[in-house]
Amino acid sequence: MKADTPLRLGSRRSPMAVAQSGNVARLLTERTGRRVEIVGVTTLGDVSREHLTQIGGTGVFVSALRESLLRQEVDFAVHSLKDLPTAPAPGLVVAAIPVREDSRDVLVARDGLTLAELPPGARVGTGSPRRAAQLRALGLGLEVVDVRGNVDTRLRLVTDRTVDAVVLALAGLRRLGRQDEASEVLDPLLMLPAPGQGALAVECREGDAELRAVLALADDPATRLAVTAERALLAALEAGCTAPVGALAEVVEGEDGAELSLRAVVAAADGSAAVRRGATVPLPDSLHVYEDHDDVGEASEGVAGRHDAAAAAAALGRALATEMLADGSAQFLPVAATPRNTARSSGRIREGDL
């Protein structure tokens, strides 16, 4: 691949997807000097008005991008990590996970009301079973309404008074520059985010070693560790992105050094019961040592530390999932659906159009 040839970034066409792909494109250009051209790809999830659980759930926004990658129509793709199936895709690899945006959910309500200020019977819109279950579990007497559509569509439901409020991801509002419309940022103690929420996955073909090295410059080790634990839990639960599962992992400073903390919830759809658990695991001391050292020994130690930390993160997620299943969480999990996503034609979007 010639250095002066633009890298083709496959992206969904929605304003949100174009915004987050643009962020990755600019990051890569800043760090590598390579130009990036965004190529729009339409997925079934973008055009269907059906609920996600009806059109396949996990992977409904992903398959078309992956097909474009495998057909070599694009060089790499950017996904919302929470939409990415936990099973690896043959021939593809996640080459980078950039620094995570704020993973929390927000409430956007009429008259700037907070969750506690909404009256009993207030209509709160969401298309997420996870959010719906946790809202009902709060016992506030809210009427949870199923809604579909992009951010603009959902916000309009509030301004039109179709609903009293909607729950959205803070990361999405920030990427669109609309975070000021949030009435309240929801504490994870009330509403745990989806596994991988706020993070992006940069995926390319497994055999393209040169491109993988370029994309790796956008990777953030702490974010990768956190989402590794969250997604390992999701995979062990055998749940998809439409399941009522919340999880949040964070690198924190413990008494004896860095630790990875993981909290998770599996809730009944009607909010009547939930299994909530948390766990931590110590991280290798060498985790802070990365490749930008002159000392080859230090660099090697850092790489080894990352591999050890990744294994520890995955083990943490699996162990917590095992504990939750033993405590009865399986009764709240639906049978995973199979996506029936198909690719649509692609078209170029210049970075200057972002």
Side-chain angles (χ1 to χ4, degrees):
M1 181 181 298
K2 295 181 179 180
D4 58 348
T5 302
L7 297 173
R8 299 168 299 169
L9 188 168
S11 170
R12 291 170 52 202
R13 296 175 181 272
S14 70
M16 177 80 69
V18 172
Q20 62 195 28
S21 293
N23 290 341
V24 172
R26 284 185 285 272
L27 176 63
L28 284 169
T29 298
E30 289 171 4
R31 295 190 176 181
T32 68
R34 296 291 298 271
R35 291 184 298 133
V36 179
E37 177 185 74
I38 297 180
V39 180
V41 178
T42 302
T43 74
L44 178 61
D46 294 314
V47 297
S48 175
R49 304 308 301 171
E50 294 180 87
H51 193 279
L52 287 181
T53 56
Q54 296 175 307
I55 57 176
T58 300
V60 74
F61 295 114
V62 172
S63 296
L65 288 169
R66 285 179 159 174
E67 290 169 14
S68 291
L69 265 175
L70 293 172
R71 289 197 298 266
Q72 301 192 30
E73 296 169 348
V74 298
D75 299 309
F76 67 103
V78 172
H79 310 282
S80 290
L81 191 59
K82 67 181 179 62
D83 296 331
L84 203 64
T86 55
L92 301 177
V93 64
V94 176
I97 301 175
V99 173
R100 189 180 206 168
E101 181 55 270
D102 196 316
S103 64
R104 294 175 294 177
D105 287 312
V106 297
L107 184 79
V108 181
R110 61 173 175 82
D111 306 319
L113 297 176
T114 65
L115 199 59
E117 292 169 339
L118 287 172
R123 292 164 55 83
V124 181
T126 177
S128 160
R130 170 190 60 83
R131 291 175 180 142
Q134 291 186 84
L135 282 170
R136 294 182 178 115
L138 294 174
L140 299 175
L142 304 172
E143 181 185 351
V144 181
V145 181
D146 184 49
V147 297
R148 280 278 284 149
N150 59 25
V151 170
D152 283 338
T153 299
R154 297 186 190 209
L155 292 176
R156 198 176 303 120
L157 294 174
V158 178
T159 56
D160 293 347
R161 303 294 175 117
T162 302
V163 297
D164 296 292
V166 292
V167 179
L168 301 168
L170 175 56
L173 288 183
R174 282 188 170 177
R175 287 170 181 146
L176 293 172
R178 305 187 67 171
Q179 63 271 22
D180 291 343
E181 297 186 44
S183 308
E184 179 183 14
V185 178
L186 300 178
D187 192 302
L189 292 173
L190 299 176
M191 176 87 61
L192 274 174
Q197 184 164 306
L200 301 176
V202 182
E203 192 173 48
C204 69
R205 290 177 290 277
E206 188 173 22
D208 196 337
E210 180 184 350
L211 180 58
R212 288 177 64 175
V214 171
L215 298 178
L217 296 173
D219 193 64
D220 178 64
T223 298
R224 184 179 281 270
L225 280 182
V227 300
T228 295
E230 294 165 14
R231 288 167 57 77
L233 175 133
L234 190 66
L237 291 174
E238 298 186 355
C241 67
T242 60
V245 176
L248 178 62
E250 300 169 289
V251 176
V252 298
E253 193 64 29
E255 292 183 1
D256 299 317
E259 297 178 342
L260 185 64
S261 167
L262 175 61
R263 292 175 283 168
V265 61
V266 180
D270 63 2
S272 61
V275 175
R276 299 177 184 272
R277 297 291 181 271
T280 61
V281 65
L283 295 175
D285 293 336
S286 57
L287 179 64
H288 68 285
V289 183
Y290 301 128
E291 290 88 339
D292 56 353
H293 288 270
D294 294 330
D295 189 298
V296 175
E298 281 192 341
S300 298
E301 183 186 356
V303 172
R306 282 210 235 180
H307 287 308
D308 291 345
L316 175 65
R318 291 191 296 268
L320 192 58
T322 298
E323 180 182 336
M324 297 178 78
L325 288 169
D327 290 340
S329 64
Q331 63 185 305
F332 306 137
L333 296 171
V335 177
T338 301
R340 50 184 176 89
N341 200 31
T342 55
R344 301 296 182 96
S345 60
S346 60
R348 285 172 171 74
I349 305 172
R350 297 190 309 276
E351 189 171 350
D353 294 335
L354 298 178

